[in-house]
Amino acid sequence: MKLEYREQLSPEDYNKLRQAVGWGALCLEQAQLGLTHSALVVSCYSNSEIAGCARLLWDHGYMAYIADVMVLPELQGQGIGREMIQRILAFLKAQIKEDWRMMVVLVATEGREPFYKKLGFRERPCEGSGAGMDFWLA
């Protein structure tokens, strides 16, 4: 299996991944806007076919959010997700100035917490940090 990592992703491939992991497709306009306004998109292709992606939303200050970490179910467990996260973290580390600190957050899909713990993320709630929360607008 030949893997190629890129910093771009079409809305069609993004939706293909969303459907493959059970999240459902977005309308193409909304998907494209989300990709366009991401600080970084890391995608992985296996033999020229989409295999995974991860997005970075960043305020260019201290807060960074990793979103949409997706790998085709049949390719999970082969290091693709780890490599995409490491590329995002390396990008962020390159942005940090001498006296900066940066908080990197994400929301793990239920059951995927151990994957992120191996990469150094801590599970919430924990001492000093409450549970993550969300709210969907429709």
Side-chain angles (χ1 to χ4, degrees):
M1 174 174 64
K2 180 181 179 252
L3 298 177
E4 178 187 355
Y5 292 88
R6 304 177 188 169
E7 291 185 2
Q8 60 188 22
L9 181 64
S10 72
E12 292 84 6
D13 281 348
Y14 174 75
N15 271 337
K16 182 177 179 181
L17 287 169
R18 286 184 63 88
Q19 290 177 303
V21 300
W23 294 355
L26 299 174
C27 75
L28 289 178
E29 177 187 18
Q30 188 176 25
Q32 182 62 66
L33 284 168
L35 294 167
T36 298
H37 293 285
S38 297
L40 178 67
V41 175
V42 177
S43 58
C44 178
Y45 287 81
S46 172
N47 302 316
S48 300
E49 294 292 322
I50 190 63
C53 80
R55 297 189 309 130
L56 170 65
L57 309 175
W58 177 41
D59 67 5
H60 296 267
Y62 83 96
M63 183 59 68
Y65 177 76
I66 297 175
D68 298 337
V69 180
M70 300 180 280
V71 176
L72 291 177
E74 63 270 21
L75 297 178
Q76 291 176 5
Q78 298 185 34
I80 294 170
R82 181 180 62 247
E83 179 67 23
M84 293 186 306
I85 296 288
Q86 288 174 335
R87 285 173 182 252
I88 288 173
L89 294 176
F91 171 84
L92 288 170
K93 284 179 186 176
Q95 312 306 313
I96 294 178
K97 297 180 181 174
E98 185 177 326
D99 58 344
W100 282 27
R101 299 186 310 151
M102 190 179 301
M103 177 180 269
V104 181
V105 297
L106 57 80
V107 177
T109 303
E110 188 174 10
R112 299 292 186 206
E113 297 87 353
F115 167 76
Y116 295 106
K117 282 182 175 181
K118 288 182 201 172
L119 296 170
F121 289 85
R122 64 185 182 146
E123 194 169 355
R124 295 178 71 157
C126 59
E127 186 177 330
S129 296
M133 301 176 77
D134 63 21
F135 179 81
W136 282 89
L137 290 174

